Amino acid sequence: MIATANIQYAWTLFVPEIQETFGWERASIQIAFTIFVLVQTWLAPIEGYFIDKFGPRLMVAFGAVFIGVAWVINSQATSLTGFYIGAAVGGIGVGSIYATCINNALKWFPDRRGLAVGLTAGGYGAGSAATILPIAAMIESSGFQETFFFFGLLQGGLAFVAAWFLKSPPKGALNASAKLVQSRRDYTLKEALNTKLFWLMFLMFICVVTGGMMAVAQLGVIAQDLGVKEFEVNLYFFTMAALPLALMLDRVMNGISRPLFGWISDNIGREKTMVIAFTLEGLGIIALGYFGSNPWAFLFLSGLVFLAWGEVYSLFSALAGDAFGTKHIGKIYGVLYTAKGIGALFVPVGNLMMEATGTWSTVLYTVAAMDLFAAFLAIAVLRPVLAAHVLKSGIANPDLAPVAAAAAGRPATV
């Protein structure tokens, strides 16, 4: 997961260099990012099928080859089409690795799903923290083409080696959570799609992921437009430009958020954790739009936004495992994960909104409202719907039946 992270999270470093070299419009270049996310997310249900068929080792090895090839293609591209092809190849590779690793974590640790998935997803969220500065330095010294080529081979090779250490868990003897209501039934994909719980989760996922996707793709652009990109931050021991520092800080916060909020959700529940995180993200984005032209505020608030955003990948996957079981979770979460692809469609729209209004505030306030709406849905709608769903399908831990009944608004004797 660490080796795949730069395909998404370091992209923002390359966009200004590509634009300067070829003179293309920024929105046209960012279509590559959208293609990457669409391919990564919308192929997830198919990848889930192959995970069940071939197991984790072959799927991750396959993905490793593709992530290496993707950046090699980018290193040779001289047209937008070339970058679009590289993005599609990278999306296949990252999707194969990401879906497999999340799927395996859900199956191995049913009693600590939030933490296990959070730690796994945290590798993807924080994976680029250690390489942001080397990539930025190599772009500066050797150009973006050589940087794509070198790091493509490095990342693909590391992921390929790691693939052969994976295995699926043995059947049976895995205990359900003693604190969270979980279904004891394994839903098929068709059955999951016929529940209102699935589509509620899908809507919430779209609302929350959109803001984070815009920040991931546009942070460098936003920093430039706010006038803080080149600001030198003096940290006594060293001095660094605001943008690379913000990117490094954001990756760390993004990585911390996934196991942190996953662990919290294992103890207080997914729905309550979602309320806390989504509200924090919404308020952080509003503040970024208002105070972002201050370099110090930009650093702090961008870190806060990533801290509150990264948890979506641990909370929704863990919740899917709780609600629908793990036998077919690769396919089920694969479809749910396509919400990220829908969110990616708004990345170029964000550019167009900014150009139309002349300010990023309009964009940021819009996505903040979506975050706060998702927080409302988590406590007002998701909690009773989830409890009713688990009671209907059979609760894994019978001791928690009264808790589920109370959340669903039913008599405690259910």
Side-chain angles (χ1 to χ4, degrees):
M1 293 285 268
I2 289 174
T4 67
N6 280 323
I7 302 288
Q8 175 172 324
Y9 289 105
W11 172 252
T12 190
L13 293 176
F14 292 94
V15 173
E17 306 301 324
I18 295 171
Q19 183 178 23
E20 182 179 346
T21 301
F22 296 106
W24 301 321
E25 293 182 359
R26 185 187 298 165
S28 298
I29 299 171
Q30 288 292 23
I31 290 175
F33 184 84
T34 302
I35 291 172
F36 160 77
V37 177
L38 292 178
V39 172
Q40 180 206 355
T41 54
W42 288 358
L43 290 181
I46 299 174
E47 291 156 358
Y49 168 80
F50 286 109
I51 292 168
D52 294 335
K53 185 175 179 64
F54 295 112
R57 291 179 181 174
L58 288 178
M59 282 299 294
V60 171
F62 169 83
V65 172
F66 271 63
I67 65 170
V69 170
W71 271 24
V72 171
I73 292 174
N74 285 349
S75 72
Q76 304 300 313
T78 57
S79 66
L80 284 170
T81 301
F83 285 103
Y84 296 165
I85 293 172
V89 172
I92 294 172
V94 173
S96 298
I97 293 174
Y98 190 97
T100 305
C101 293
I102 293 297
N103 178 282
N104 231 30
L106 287 171
K107 290 181 177 179
W108 269 101
F109 306 100
D111 58 332
R112 289 170 292 170
R113 237 174 228 140
L115 177 60
V117 175
L119 288 169
T120 306
Y124 189 73
S128 62
T131 50
I132 281 294
L133 294 182
I135 287 177
M138 188 170 181
I139 291 174
E140 182 69 25
S141 63
S142 303
F144 73 88
Q145 289 98 337
E146 288 190 28
T147 307
F148 269 135
F149 187 84
F150 174 79
F151 278 93
L153 295 181
L154 176 64
Q155 293 161 173
L158 289 173
F160 188 83
V161 171
W164 305 104
F165 293 90
L166 292 173
K167 68 175 183 177
S168 298
K171 294 182 179 180
L174 296 177
N175 298 322
S177 172
K179 298 179 180 179
L180 304 180
V181 292
Q182 297 175 328
S183 173
R184 69 165 175 253
R185 175 185 168 190
D186 288 311
Y187 281 70
T188 65
L189 174 59
K190 182 178 180 181
E191 290 170 338
L193 293 178
N194 285 330
T195 66
K196 63 180 179 182
L197 173 62
F198 179 90
W199 296 107
L200 174 61
M201 292 168 60
F202 192 75
L203 172 62
M204 293 173 60
F205 205 157
I206 293 172
C207 288
V208 179
V209 81
T210 298
M213 291 297 299
M214 284 189 179
V216 167
Q218 310 281 24
L219 191 63
V221 177
I222 293 173
Q224 180 175 332
D225 291 345
L226 291 176
V228 299
K229 179 181 178 180
E230 304 297 336
F231 180 80
E232 294 291 329
V233 179
N234 189 339
L235 298 176
Y236 297 102
F237 298 106
F238 64 94
T239 301
M240 187 185 304
L243 178 59
L245 180 59
L247 290 171
M248 186 171 65
L249 176 64
D250 294 343
R251 300 312 177 254
V252 173
M253 300 302 283
N254 196 359
I256 291 173
S257 73
R258 303 182 188 206
L260 172 63
F261 283 104
W263 174 78
I264 292 173
S265 75
D266 285 337
N267 289 276
I268 70 171
R270 318 288 183 214
E271 317 93 282
K272 294 178 182 177
T273 308
M274 286 179 175
V275 174
I276 296 170
F278 299 168
T279 301
L280 188 63
E281 183 188 351
L283 296 178
I285 290 175
I286 291 172
L288 183 63
Y290 193 78
F291 299 107
S293 57
N294 180 297
W296 291 102
F298 177 82
L299 287 172
F300 174 79
L301 292 171
S302 62
L304 178 65
V305 168
F306 274 85
L307 174 67
W309 176 68
E311 94 297 326
V312 296
Y313 300 109
S314 57
L315 294 184
F316 281 101
S317 56
L319 181 58
D322 292 343
F324 304 115
T326 58
K327 184 176 181 180
H328 306 287
I329 192 61
K331 304 179 190 72
I332 294 171
Y333 183 62
V335 176
L336 183 64
Y337 189 65
T338 60
K340 181 181 177 182
I342 295 176
L345 294 174
F346 291 97
V347 172
V349 173
N351 265 315
L352 297 176
M353 289 178 62
M354 184 273 169
E355 292 171 2
T357 61
T359 175
W360 281 104
S361 297
T362 306
V363 180
L364 296 174
Y365 294 157
T366 300
V367 297
M370 297 172 69
D371 290 324
L372 297 176
F373 177 61
F376 168 78
L377 290 177
I379 195 64
V381 184
L382 178 63
R383 189 165 186 263
V385 169
L386 173 64
H389 168 85
V390 172
L391 286 172
K392 180 181 179 181
S393 60
I395 191 165
N397 187 340
D399 293 340
L400 297 177
V403 176
R410 297 182 181 180
T413 54
V414 172

